[in-house]
Structure formats: structure tokens, C-alpha cells
Amino acid sequence: MITLALSKGRIFDETLPLLAAAGIEVLEDPEKSRKLILPTNQADVRVVLVRATDVPTYVAYGGADVGVTGKDTLLEHGGGGLFQPLDLQIAKCRVSVAVHNDFDYAQAVQRGARLRVATKYTTIAREFFARKGVHVDLIKLYGSMELAPLTGMADAIVDLVSTGNTLKANNLKEVEHIIDISSHLVVNQASLKLKQERLRRIIHAFAQGVDARNAA
Ligand code: PRT
Ligand code: MG
């Protein structure tokens, strides 16, 4: 049995065409079903639905053999115990620093102010500001980072940006582009040895699916 960990929403939706390229069809709609384990048309492949941030953990500990996860989540997780064979180039976005429209970020950095930064991405943020030589107090959040500067709790946020519409709707502006993000295939290292044949075929089919889509 091959167990594939996916999160509901954009990662599930954007992985479906790549699964199809591998001849794998998920037999239930996760938005309608309450099941956490979904069967596929391949008797030896099943999908487990986990929280996006839990995908690397499930795969690293062998709860799943393979998973799809954002590079943002991987960077925060650290990637220990995971083989990362393929960038699927789906669920693309970027990690950015954003501040309130009225906040003069360049000046704050220039005069060496200590910035209060709210984020779910404390590892990415800590490394970015350390490299830049900016002193920060990090405030760990689990959601709605955008609210932190609006309430005066933080000077800046480090968050994912895709279209930029969320920032704009909340009177925030992007002031630093930290890193481009896409989702990657991750594989449990023990599974890769024990189920080598089947996993290699799946990885290969995903790679072909990515190439075919890029060529289209
Ligand atoms: O929702 P939950 O707390 O369970 O987990 P999650 O938010 O980590 O999961 P999910 O499914 O929302 O995101 C999974 C992955 O999708 C992330 O880890 C990213 O790798 C990727 N991804 C791609 C995004 C976005 N684009 C994105 N735009 N994840 C989140 N967003 C959010 C962003 O946080 C911000 O609130 O969308 C908003 C900005 O979008 P724009 O288009 O308005 O700029
Ligand atoms: Mg979300």
C-alpha cells in the first residue's frame, strides 16, 4: 500500500491533474466527504487528508509514504527524514514582508529600529532579518497575520502573498520579497527503500505530468 498525504484546498486541487497523469484517480471529493482516508482507483494507493502544516510530519514519521507540501512549510519543518525529489511547481506564491501603508519601513530599517514582526514563519523570518542585520522581536501567530499591523500589535508581518489582493484589501503593502514558493513532492526515506519500485514509478509519472503541463 502507498499512502499519499495531501491537504484540502489548493494543494489537493492542484495535485489532482498530476495524480491523473500517474493514472491515479481519487474516488471521493474531500469537500463533500467526512472521511480522512480516501480510496483511489488503484487498489494499492490511498490518500490521507491532513492539515497543510502536518504533511511533512506525517511523511517523516511514516504515517504516509509520500506527500505534497509547500516549500514554506518544508522550510519551517526543516525537512529532516524527508527525500525531496521533485518541485511540482503548483500552489505558487512568495513569502514577503508587509507593513501598513503608512509605515515607513525603509526608514525604520535605516535608523536601526527594533521591529516587531508577527508571523507563522518564525524560522524563515528569523533567518531573513538576521542576514539583513535587522533586529526583530518575533510574535508567533497561527493565522490572520494581516490583522497584526492593523491592530498595532506588530510593525510588520512575514506571510505568503499570491495576487496581493489580501494585502491591498487590508491597507498593507509588500516591502520585501523573501523567497518564491511552490509545492514539492516529499518521500519517507525508509519507504523509498522498502517500496522503491512503486514509488519510483509514481515520482516518474509526477515528473512527466509536470513536464507535460509546462509544455502545454
Ligand atoms: O488553512 P490552514 O491553516 O489549515 O493551513 P494553510 O493555510 O497552511 O493551508 P493552505 O491550504 O491555505 O495553504 C497550503 C499551501 O498553499 C501553503 O503552505 C503555500 O505553500 C500554498 N499557497 C499558495 C498559499 C497561497 N498560495 C496563498 N495565497 N497559501 C496561503 N495563501 C494565503 C496567504 O496566507 C494570504 O492569507 O492567501 C492569502 C494571500 O493571497 P492573495 O492572493 O490575496 O495574495
Ligand atoms: Mg490557509
Side-chain angles (χ1 to χ4, degrees), residues 10 51-52 120 160:
R10 73 189 98 222
R51 189 83 187 251
K120 170 176 163 183
L160 301 177

Side-chain angles (χ1 to χ4, degrees), residues 7-12 14 50-54 68-74 90-94 120-121 142-146 159-169 174 181-184:
S7 53
K8 280 203 233 180
R10 73 189 98 222
I11 288 188
F12 185 90
E14 296 189 37
V50 303
R51 189 83 187 251
T53 40
D54 289 335
V68 176
T69 183
K71 189 74 189 176
D72 50 320
T73 307
L74 264 175
I90 59 169
K92 288 185 185 174
C93 56
R94 56 193 183 270
K120 170 176 163 183
Y121 299 105
Y142 294 87
S144 299
M145 265 77 86
E146 295 88 356
D159 194 9
L160 301 177
V161 180
S162 170
T163 60
N165 290 339
T166 305
L167 292 181
K168 216 173 290 165
E174 202 173 349
I181 297 294
S182 56
S183 282
H184 290 242

Side-chain angles (χ1 to χ4, degrees), residues 35-85:
K35 287 189 189 166
L36 297 174
I37 301 182
L38 306 179
T40 73
N41 64 333
Q42 312 272 312
D44 66 339
V45 180
R46 62 179 185 173
V47 169
V48 292
L49 296 175
V50 303
R51 189 83 187 251
T53 40
D54 289 335
V55 168
T57 308
Y58 267 85
V59 177
Y61 283 99
D65 301 296
V66 56
V68 176
T69 183
K71 189 74 189 176
D72 50 320
T73 307
L74 264 175
L75 289 169
E76 287 297 313
H77 173 271
L82 295 171
F83 175 54
Q84 302 176 27

Side-chain angles (χ1 to χ4, degrees), residues 26-38:
V26 184
L27 298 178
E28 280 186 65
D29 179 352
E31 300 302 332
K32 291 186 185 132
S33 172
R34 285 173 178 267
K35 287 189 189 166
L36 297 174
I37 301 182
L38 306 179

